[in-house]
Amino acid sequence: MDGNAAALQQVIAAWVQAVGSIVAIFAAIGIAWWQRREDRRHELQQAASEERRLLLNALKIGNEVALMLRAAFDLRMDPTVLDTPDQRAREIARLEYAIMAISTVPLHLLPSINAIGALMELRAIAGEACTIIGPIQGQRAGHPSYAAPFATLINRAVEQEETLAVAVGEAT
């Protein structure tokens, strides 16, 4: 029986080795699958974080444009304040800076067409404000007729700010 016992031990050892090899193969497949799933989850989190960061930056720029327009409106409504060429040059410079900031946002990375449209509209609004401010000559005291064009631009800018805020909320 010693021969049979030795043969049986060899058969058992072979089966244990075969089962162990199969378990090891499945374990390797499972670990690779799990690691890939975790990598993909991390990539998606990174992409969502980048989209949110871009949207927040776009929203900040939009807020700045709206604030600049409100300041221009308030300045032109106040009859005690003179609208001087230096003041207008500063306003135009700030608006041009906002246009430049908008131009640096990689639109193709924004998550929605609405966010892209809102940012492009804000750029157009800032450009229109520069056009309105530019040809004014001399010094003028505030008057509602000077402020009126800015009221429309403010409303448009606020609408675009709201669109960007919605996009930020959706990206969360």
Side-chain angles (χ1 to χ4, degrees), residues 107 110-120 163-164 167 170:
L107 299 179
L110 292 177
S112 74
I113 193 70
N114 291 340
I116 293 169
L119 203 56
M120 296 308 297
T163 300
L164 287 170
E170 290 172 353

Side-chain angles (χ1 to χ4, degrees), residues 80-165:
T80 64
V81 176
L82 287 180
D83 180 16
T84 66
D86 288 342
Q87 174 64 31
R88 289 189 296 278
R90 283 192 300 277
E91 288 175 325
I92 290 172
R94 287 183 67 206
L95 287 163
E96 287 174 345
Y97 183 76
I99 291 169
M100 184 180 67
I102 291 170
S103 298
T104 64
V105 175
L107 299 179
H108 65 284
L109 295 180
L110 292 177
S112 74
I113 193 70
N114 291 340
I116 293 169
L119 203 56
M120 296 308 297
E121 180 65 14
L122 283 166
R123 186 180 189 286
I125 291 167
E128 287 178 44
C130 288
T131 302
I132 292 169
I133 294 168
I136 300 171
Q137 299 296 318
Q139 295 183 354
R140 297 182 179 179
H143 189 274
S145 65
Y146 302 143
F150 293 98
T152 304
L153 293 178
I154 290 168
N155 291 335
R156 286 174 50 202
V158 168
E159 286 175 15
Q160 302 315 312
E161 268 187 293
E162 290 169 359
T163 300
L164 287 170

Side-chain angles (χ1 to χ4, degrees), residues 42-93:
H42 180 71
E43 289 169 5
L44 290 173
Q45 285 177 340
Q46 290 290 91
S49 176
E50 179 65 13
E51 284 177 358
R52 183 165 167 70
R53 186 187 66 76
L54 284 172
L55 284 169
L56 286 172
N57 286 340
L59 183 58
K60 288 176 188 175
I61 294 168
N63 184 263
E64 282 300 312
V65 170
L67 288 174
M68 286 182 242
L69 294 172
R70 284 186 187 101
F73 177 83
D74 291 343
L75 176 77
R76 284 156 183 84
M77 284 295 290
D78 188 347
T80 64
V81 176
L82 287 180
D83 180 16
T84 66
D86 288 342
Q87 174 64 31
R88 289 189 296 278
R90 283 192 300 277
E91 288 175 325
I92 290 172

Side-chain angles (χ1 to χ4, degrees), residues 1-23:
M1 276 241 256
D2 287 337
N4 284 340
L8 183 60
Q9 282 181 341
Q10 286 179 340
V11 169
I12 292 173
W15 274 104
V16 168
Q17 184 178 9
V19 170
S21 296
I22 292 170
V23 168

